[in-house]
Amino acid sequence: MEKLENKNKISAKDKKIGSQLLKNEGFISVAVVLLGFFVATILVICVGRNPLGMYKAILQVLTGWNIDRGVWNIRYVGEFLNYSVPYILCGFAMAFAGRVGLFNVGGEGQYIIGLTVAQLCAIFLPQVPVAHWFFCLVLAIIAGALWGGIVGFLKAKFEVSEVVTTIMLNYVALYLSRIVTLALPGTSTFKTVDFPKTALLKSPLLSAITNNSNLNYGIIIMILCAVLFWFLMEKTKLGFALRATGFNKDAAHYAGIPVISSIVIAMAVSGAFAGLGGGVVALGSFKYGRVLSAMDNYGFTGIAVALVGNNTAIGTVLAGFLFGMLQAAQPLMQSNGIPKEIVFIIQGLVVVFVALKEGMKLVSNIVAKKQAQKVKALEK
């Protein structure tokens, strides 16, 4: 009898632990990522390729080791980190708005505006070391904030859907960037004149450490932004007001929180993150300005990064590293016989599984409400 009771206690304890894990956002995010890789592995096998090639490429990007050749090159790590920076910054753009109950689909447009302003400043601002690229980034941040603030104002003042507005402004940003950049002296159909060296984010130290990779000061700026995101959202009165607005706008309004200004601020800060991402790419990964023929898709991928990261600072950083790692590993996967599309499949599967997680939460809440209603009916 005692053994049966102990067995029941252990079973109840296991169920409790399982229930707690299912409610843990971090655990679920890790689970959906692993599930995405598992399904991708099956797909690779189905097309007649060896999935080990995929994991060898990932290992090489994360550590620099090429197992087949027995060669180590840290440059791969540097490139992986460099790819991750704009994903993380654009992820912050979505995550910050998401914490306030907004869906910022306009990260791409805000990114493009920041990139364009950074390119213009790189060409026309005085060539003063450090100050040159610093003010280029500051103006890129301001431009992105203004572009996002427009959406926030329209949403707060006139209840215009931020989804529709941001989608349309993405295309406005793209074609405005093309018009402005093509008008610059010395610009060809796809590039401007080279930037002065004072405008570049290249770090001699980081470049030397990573064997001449493109890793630059952007990685340090990203880390500072992650700390700022966390501190602003979790440790300040403004962050509390923004989170309260995201939980329930009506309750926040009756509690004396300025909902309208909260929405405008949230979209402006979101745009600032994306604009900074554009500036970092413009000055860190290229030595000249680009005439964009299409969107870079950092802003759109940033939506997936934020969703996987649960709209938190640390979660978004980790998710951004995941997407950056996949992007850096793509050419290595191809050399190992893995189709390049497998990277996009993994990214898509992760997002789908995250969406399923949210769907399951919705169904669970509906079932719980119905059960509560039945209990109340029985009590009457």
Side-chain angles (χ1 to χ4, degrees), residues 12 24 32 52 73 79 82 103 168 179 188 196 201 211 215 228 231 249 308 310 319 340 354 359-360 374:
N24 187 291
V32 297
L52 282 176
N73 188 349
E79 295 298 342
N82 189 51
F103 198 80
M168 299 310 295
I179 292 169
S188 67
L201 287 174
N211 194 19
L215 188 64
L228 176 64
F231 181 79
K249 290 184 178 64
V308 176
N310 295 312
K340 65 177 182 179
V354 170
M360 290 301 294
K374 287 180 180 180

PDB file of all heavy atoms in Angstrom, residues 12 24 32 52 73 79 82 103 168 179 188 196 201 211 215 228 231 249 308 310 319 340 354 359-360 374:
ATOM      1  N   ALA A  12       2.529  12.171  -9.435  1.00  0.00           N
ATOM      2  CA  ALA A  12       1.979  13.519  -9.311  1.00  0.00           C
ATOM      3  C   ALA A  12       3.083  14.568  -9.407  1.00  0.00           C
ATOM      4  O   ALA A  12       2.913  15.629 -10.020  1.00  0.00           O
ATOM      5  CB  ALA A  12       1.238  13.654  -7.983  1.00  0.00           C
ATOM      6  N   ASN A  24       6.967  27.139 -18.950  1.00  0.00           N
ATOM      7  CA  ASN A  24       8.212  27.899 -19.000  1.00  0.00           C
ATOM      8  C   ASN A  24       8.506  28.328 -20.433  1.00  0.00           C
ATOM      9  O   ASN A  24       8.720  27.490 -21.313  1.00  0.00           O
ATOM     10  CB  ASN A  24       9.359  27.040 -18.451  1.00  0.00           C
ATOM     11  CG  ASN A  24      10.649  27.825 -18.326  1.00  0.00           C
ATOM     12  OD1 ASN A  24      11.255  28.193 -19.317  1.00  0.00           O
ATOM     13  ND2 ASN A  24      11.062  28.062 -17.092  1.00  0.00           N
ATOM     14  N   VAL A  32      11.112  24.107 -29.311  1.00  0.00           N
ATOM     15  CA  VAL A  32      10.669  24.312 -30.696  1.00  0.00           C
ATOM     16  C   VAL A  32      11.867  24.414 -31.638  1.00  0.00           C
ATOM     17  O   VAL A  32      11.801  23.986 -32.797  1.00  0.00           O
ATOM     18  CB  VAL A  32       9.759  25.554 -30.830  1.00  0.00           C
ATOM     19  CG1 VAL A  32       8.489  25.390 -30.026  1.00  0.00           C
ATOM     20  CG2 VAL A  32      10.477  26.837 -30.435  1.00  0.00           C
ATOM     21  N   LEU A  52      24.650  14.730 -41.521  1.00  0.00           N
ATOM     22  CA  LEU A  52      25.881  15.076 -40.815  1.00  0.00           C
ATOM     23  C   LEU A  52      26.546  16.309 -41.439  1.00  0.00           C
ATOM     24  O   LEU A  52      27.212  17.085 -40.749  1.00  0.00           O
ATOM     25  CB  LEU A  52      26.859  13.898 -40.844  1.00  0.00           C
ATOM     26  CG  LEU A  52      26.572  12.756 -39.862  1.00  0.00           C
ATOM     27  CD1 LEU A  52      27.567  11.628 -40.065  1.00  0.00           C
ATOM     28  CD2 LEU A  52      26.614  13.263 -38.424  1.00  0.00           C
ATOM     29  N   ASN A  73      39.839  27.663 -38.012  1.00  0.00           N
ATOM     30  CA  ASN A  73      39.895  29.044 -38.482  1.00  0.00           C
ATOM     31  C   ASN A  73      38.803  29.838 -37.762  1.00  0.00           C
ATOM     32  O   ASN A  73      37.612  29.660 -38.023  1.00  0.00           O
ATOM     33  CB  ASN A  73      39.692  29.103 -39.996  1.00  0.00           C
ATOM     34  CG  ASN A  73      39.929  30.501 -40.553  1.00  0.00           C
ATOM     35  OD1 ASN A  73      40.044  31.468 -39.801  1.00  0.00           O
ATOM     36  ND2 ASN A  73      39.987  30.609 -41.869  1.00  0.00           N
ATOM     37  N   GLU A  79      32.462  35.782 -38.497  1.00  0.00           N
ATOM     38  CA  GLU A  79      31.415  36.046 -39.492  1.00  0.00           C
ATOM     39  C   GLU A  79      30.027  35.692 -38.938  1.00  0.00           C
ATOM     40  O   GLU A  79      29.051  36.389 -39.194  1.00  0.00           O
ATOM     41  CB  GLU A  79      31.691  35.247 -40.768  1.00  0.00           C
ATOM     42  CG  GLU A  79      32.954  35.654 -41.507  1.00  0.00           C
ATOM     43  CD  GLU A  79      32.927  37.102 -41.991  1.00  0.00           C
ATOM     44  OE1 GLU A  79      31.831  37.699 -42.070  1.00  0.00           O
ATOM     45  OE2 GLU A  79      34.011  37.638 -42.273  1.00  0.00           O
ATOM     46  N   ASN A  82      29.011  38.471 -36.703  1.00  0.00           N
ATOM     47  CA  ASN A  82      28.690  39.657 -37.493  1.00  0.00           C
ATOM     48  C   ASN A  82      27.312  39.533 -38.149  1.00  0.00           C
ATOM     49  O   ASN A  82      26.552  40.504 -38.209  1.00  0.00           O
ATOM     50  CB  ASN A  82      29.764  39.874 -38.561  1.00  0.00           C
ATOM     51  CG  ASN A  82      29.603  41.203 -39.275  1.00  0.00           C
ATOM     52  OD1 ASN A  82      29.491  42.247 -38.637  1.00  0.00           O
ATOM     53  ND2 ASN A  82      29.581  41.183 -40.595  1.00  0.00           N
ATOM     54  N   PHE A 103       2.337  45.152 -33.021  1.00  0.00           N
ATOM     55  CA  PHE A 103       2.991  44.218 -33.942  1.00  0.00           C
ATOM     56  C   PHE A 103       3.710  45.029 -35.005  1.00  0.00           C
ATOM     57  O   PHE A 103       3.106  45.496 -35.970  1.00  0.00           O
ATOM     58  CB  PHE A 103       1.954  43.282 -34.572  1.00  0.00           C
ATOM     59  CG  PHE A 103       2.562  42.044 -35.180  1.00  0.00           C
ATOM     60  CD1 PHE A 103       2.906  40.972 -34.380  1.00  0.00           C
ATOM     61  CD2 PHE A 103       2.801  41.962 -36.539  1.00  0.00           C
ATOM     62  CE1 PHE A 103       3.475  39.821 -34.935  1.00  0.00           C
ATOM     63  CE2 PHE A 103       3.362  40.830 -37.099  1.00  0.00           C
ATOM     64  CZ  PHE A 103       3.705  39.754 -36.299  1.00  0.00           C
ATOM     65  N   MET A 168       3.041  49.266 -45.572  1.00  0.00           N
ATOM     66  CA  MET A 168       3.102  50.259 -46.638  1.00  0.00           C
ATOM     67  C   MET A 168       4.367  51.117 -46.534  1.00  0.00           C
ATOM     68  O   MET A 168       5.009  51.430 -47.541  1.00  0.00           O
ATOM     69  CB  MET A 168       1.861  51.157 -46.590  1.00  0.00           C
ATOM     70  CG  MET A 168       0.549  50.400 -46.781  1.00  0.00           C
ATOM     71  SD  MET A 168       0.534  49.311 -48.227  1.00  0.00           S
ATOM     72  CE  MET A 168       0.660  50.495 -49.556  1.00  0.00           C
ATOM     73  N   ILE A 179      15.741  56.364 -54.635  1.00  0.00           N
ATOM     74  CA  ILE A 179      15.730  57.692 -55.265  1.00  0.00           C
ATOM     75  C   ILE A 179      16.840  58.571 -54.719  1.00  0.00           C
ATOM     76  O   ILE A 179      17.594  59.205 -55.459  1.00  0.00           O
ATOM     77  CB  ILE A 179      14.356  58.368 -55.052  1.00  0.00           C
ATOM     78  CG1 ILE A 179      13.266  57.627 -55.840  1.00  0.00           C
ATOM     79  CG2 ILE A 179      14.399  59.833 -55.482  1.00  0.00           C
ATOM     80  CD1 ILE A 179      11.856  58.057 -55.499  1.00  0.00           C
ATOM     81  N   SER A 188      26.655  54.642 -59.114  1.00  0.00           N
ATOM     82  CA  SER A 188      26.319  53.814 -60.276  1.00  0.00           C
ATOM     83  C   SER A 188      24.938  53.207 -60.048  1.00  0.00           C
ATOM     84  O   SER A 188      24.205  53.623 -59.159  1.00  0.00           O
ATOM     85  CB  SER A 188      27.364  52.721 -60.461  1.00  0.00           C
ATOM     86  OG  SER A 188      27.300  51.800 -59.378  1.00  0.00           O
ATOM     87  N   PRO A 196      34.734  57.111 -46.600  1.00  0.00           N
ATOM     88  CA  PRO A 196      36.021  57.398 -45.948  1.00  0.00           C
ATOM     89  C   PRO A 196      36.278  56.367 -44.846  1.00  0.00           C
ATOM     90  O   PRO A 196      35.331  55.821 -44.265  1.00  0.00           O
ATOM     91  CB  PRO A 196      35.800  58.791 -45.343  1.00  0.00           C
ATOM     92  CG  PRO A 196      34.605  59.348 -46.033  1.00  0.00           C
ATOM     93  CD  PRO A 196      33.753  58.194 -46.435  1.00  0.00           C
ATOM     94  N   LEU A 201      33.007  51.036 -39.327  1.00  0.00           N
ATOM     95  CA  LEU A 201      32.965  50.486 -37.972  1.00  0.00           C
ATOM     96  C   LEU A 201      34.034  49.419 -37.746  1.00  0.00           C
ATOM     97  O   LEU A 201      34.021  48.749 -36.718  1.00  0.00           O
ATOM     98  CB  LEU A 201      31.584  49.857 -37.703  1.00  0.00           C
ATOM     99  CG  LEU A 201      30.423  50.828 -37.490  1.00  0.00           C
ATOM    100  CD1 LEU A 201      29.109  50.061 -37.388  1.00  0.00           C
ATOM    101  CD2 LEU A 201      30.636  51.662 -36.242  1.00  0.00           C
ATOM    102  N   ASN A 211      40.832  36.710 -37.260  1.00  0.00           N
ATOM    103  CA  ASN A 211      41.502  36.387 -38.528  1.00  0.00           C
ATOM    104  C   ASN A 211      40.889  37.141 -39.713  1.00  0.00           C
ATOM    105  O   ASN A 211      40.491  36.550 -40.721  1.00  0.00           O
ATOM    106  CB  ASN A 211      41.452  34.877 -38.778  1.00  0.00           C
ATOM    107  CG  ASN A 211      42.399  34.447 -39.887  1.00  0.00           C
ATOM    108  OD1 ASN A 211      43.336  35.171 -40.235  1.00  0.00           O
ATOM    109  ND2 ASN A 211      42.153  33.272 -40.444  1.00  0.00           N
ATOM    110  N   LEU A 215      33.767  41.116 -38.436  1.00  0.00           N
ATOM    111  CA  LEU A 215      33.286  41.487 -37.108  1.00  0.00           C
ATOM    112  C   LEU A 215      33.807  42.877 -36.749  1.00  0.00           C
ATOM    113  O   LEU A 215      34.994  43.166 -36.929  1.00  0.00           O
ATOM    114  CB  LEU A 215      33.752  40.465 -36.075  1.00  0.00           C
ATOM    115  CG  LEU A 215      33.159  40.624 -34.664  1.00  0.00           C
ATOM    116  CD1 LEU A 215      31.659  40.401 -34.677  1.00  0.00           C
ATOM    117  CD2 LEU A 215      33.823  39.651 -33.692  1.00  0.00           C
ATOM    118  N   LEU A 228      20.418  47.962 -22.457  1.00  0.00           N
ATOM    119  CA  LEU A 228      19.483  49.092 -22.444  1.00  0.00           C
ATOM    120  C   LEU A 228      18.044  48.611 -22.546  1.00  0.00           C
ATOM    121  O   LEU A 228      17.161  49.091 -21.814  1.00  0.00           O
ATOM    122  CB  LEU A 228      19.808  50.041 -23.605  1.00  0.00           C
ATOM    123  CG  LEU A 228      18.857  51.235 -23.775  1.00  0.00           C
ATOM    124  CD1 LEU A 228      18.940  52.149 -22.555  1.00  0.00           C
ATOM    125  CD2 LEU A 228      19.195  52.006 -25.051  1.00  0.00           C
ATOM    126  N   PHE A 231      17.095  46.992 -19.170  1.00  0.00           N
ATOM    127  CA  PHE A 231      16.978  47.974 -18.094  1.00  0.00           C
ATOM    128  C   PHE A 231      15.754  48.865 -18.291  1.00  0.00           C
ATOM    129  O   PHE A 231      14.986  49.110 -17.351  1.00  0.00           O
ATOM    130  CB  PHE A 231      18.242  48.836 -18.032  1.00  0.00           C
ATOM    131  CG  PHE A 231      18.219  49.854 -16.931  1.00  0.00           C
ATOM    132  CD1 PHE A 231      18.487  49.478 -15.619  1.00  0.00           C
ATOM    133  CD2 PHE A 231      17.918  51.182 -17.196  1.00  0.00           C
ATOM    134  CE1 PHE A 231      18.456  50.415 -14.588  1.00  0.00           C
ATOM    135  CE2 PHE A 231      17.875  52.116 -16.175  1.00  0.00           C
ATOM    136  CZ  PHE A 231      18.150  51.736 -14.867  1.00  0.00           C
ATOM    137  N   LYS A 249      -4.754  48.016 -22.331  1.00  0.00           N
ATOM    138  CA  LYS A 249      -4.730  49.459 -22.577  1.00  0.00           C
ATOM    139  C   LYS A 249      -5.769  50.192 -21.734  1.00  0.00           C
ATOM    140  O   LYS A 249      -5.509  51.274 -21.204  1.00  0.00           O
ATOM    141  CB  LYS A 249      -4.975  49.732 -24.064  1.00  0.00           C
ATOM    142  CG  LYS A 249      -3.838  49.317 -24.978  1.00  0.00           C
ATOM    143  CD  LYS A 249      -4.142  49.710 -26.411  1.00  0.00           C
ATOM    144  CE  LYS A 249      -2.978  49.341 -27.328  1.00  0.00           C
ATOM    145  NZ  LYS A 249      -2.745  47.900 -27.403  1.00  0.00           N
ATOM    146  N   VAL A 308      10.690  33.961 -31.347  1.00  0.00           N
ATOM    147  CA  VAL A 308      11.424  32.840 -30.741  1.00  0.00           C
ATOM    148  C   VAL A 308      11.999  33.262 -29.387  1.00  0.00           C
ATOM    149  O   VAL A 308      12.054  32.470 -28.445  1.00  0.00           O
ATOM    150  CB  VAL A 308      12.543  32.352 -31.677  1.00  0.00           C
ATOM    151  CG1 VAL A 308      13.375  31.255 -31.003  1.00  0.00           C
ATOM    152  CG2 VAL A 308      11.951  31.827 -32.986  1.00  0.00           C
ATOM    153  N   ASN A 310      10.671  35.294 -27.291  1.00  0.00           N
ATOM    154  CA  ASN A 310       9.590  35.675 -26.364  1.00  0.00           C
ATOM    155  C   ASN A 310       9.587  37.166 -26.024  1.00  0.00           C
ATOM    156  O   ASN A 310       9.189  37.570 -24.922  1.00  0.00           O
ATOM    157  CB  ASN A 310       9.685  34.863 -25.060  1.00  0.00           C
ATOM    158  CG  ASN A 310       9.447  33.390 -25.286  1.00  0.00           C
ATOM    159  OD1 ASN A 310       8.496  32.992 -25.943  1.00  0.00           O
ATOM    160  ND2 ASN A 310      10.352  32.562 -24.770  1.00  0.00           N
ATOM    161  N   ALA A 319      18.095  34.106 -29.782  1.00  0.00           N
ATOM    162  CA  ALA A 319      17.430  33.763 -31.047  1.00  0.00           C
ATOM    163  C   ALA A 319      18.152  34.393 -32.227  1.00  0.00           C
ATOM    164  O   ALA A 319      18.284  33.782 -33.298  1.00  0.00           O
ATOM    165  CB  ALA A 319      15.976  34.223 -31.012  1.00  0.00           C
ATOM    166  N   LYS A 340      20.672  24.622 -50.017  1.00  0.00           N
ATOM    167  CA  LYS A 340      20.698  25.897 -49.290  1.00  0.00           C
ATOM    168  C   LYS A 340      19.333  26.231 -48.691  1.00  0.00           C
ATOM    169  O   LYS A 340      19.244  26.954 -47.695  1.00  0.00           O
ATOM    170  CB  LYS A 340      21.149  27.023 -50.222  1.00  0.00           C
ATOM    171  CG  LYS A 340      20.188  27.301 -51.373  1.00  0.00           C
ATOM    172  CD  LYS A 340      20.661  28.470 -52.224  1.00  0.00           C
ATOM    173  CE  LYS A 340      19.664  28.762 -53.348  1.00  0.00           C
ATOM    174  NZ  LYS A 340      20.108  29.909 -54.174  1.00  0.00           N
ATOM    175  N   VAL A 354       6.560  27.933 -32.929  1.00  0.00           N
ATOM    176  CA  VAL A 354       6.280  28.993 -31.956  1.00  0.00           C
ATOM    177  C   VAL A 354       4.826  29.431 -32.071  1.00  0.00           C
ATOM    178  O   VAL A 354       4.125  29.636 -31.070  1.00  0.00           O
ATOM    179  CB  VAL A 354       7.218  30.200 -32.179  1.00  0.00           C
ATOM    180  CG1 VAL A 354       6.769  31.390 -31.333  1.00  0.00           C
ATOM    181  CG2 VAL A 354       8.647  29.841 -31.806  1.00  0.00           C
ATOM    182  N   GLY A 359      -0.919  29.147 -30.280  1.00  0.00           N
ATOM    183  CA  GLY A 359      -2.259  28.628 -30.570  1.00  0.00           C
ATOM    184  C   GLY A 359      -2.755  27.687 -29.483  1.00  0.00           C
ATOM    185  O   GLY A 359      -3.926  27.727 -29.086  1.00  0.00           O
ATOM    186  N   MET A 360      -1.834  26.858 -28.991  1.00  0.00           N
ATOM    187  CA  MET A 360      -2.197  25.945 -27.910  1.00  0.00           C
ATOM    188  C   MET A 360      -2.557  26.700 -26.637  1.00  0.00           C
ATOM    189  O   MET A 360      -3.467  26.320 -25.896  1.00  0.00           O
ATOM    190  CB  MET A 360      -1.042  24.983 -27.637  1.00  0.00           C
ATOM    191  CG  MET A 360      -0.810  23.964 -28.742  1.00  0.00           C
ATOM    192  SD  MET A 360      -2.266  22.925 -29.048  1.00  0.00           S
ATOM    193  CE  MET A 360      -2.355  22.011 -27.505  1.00  0.00           C
ATOM    194  N   LYS A 374     -18.914  26.371 -16.539  1.00  0.00           N
ATOM    195  CA  LYS A 374     -19.691  25.200 -16.142  1.00  0.00           C
ATOM    196  C   LYS A 374     -19.752  25.051 -14.623  1.00  0.00           C
ATOM    197  O   LYS A 374     -20.790  24.734 -14.045  1.00  0.00           O
ATOM    198  CB  LYS A 374     -19.071  23.922 -16.754  1.00  0.00           C
ATOM    199  CG  LYS A 374     -19.300  23.792 -18.252  1.00  0.00           C
ATOM    200  CD  LYS A 374     -18.652  22.512 -18.774  1.00  0.00           C
ATOM    201  CE  LYS A 374     -18.864  22.375 -20.277  1.00  0.00           C
ATOM    202  NZ  LYS A 374     -18.227  21.135 -20.808  1.00  0.00           N
TER     203      LYS A 374
END
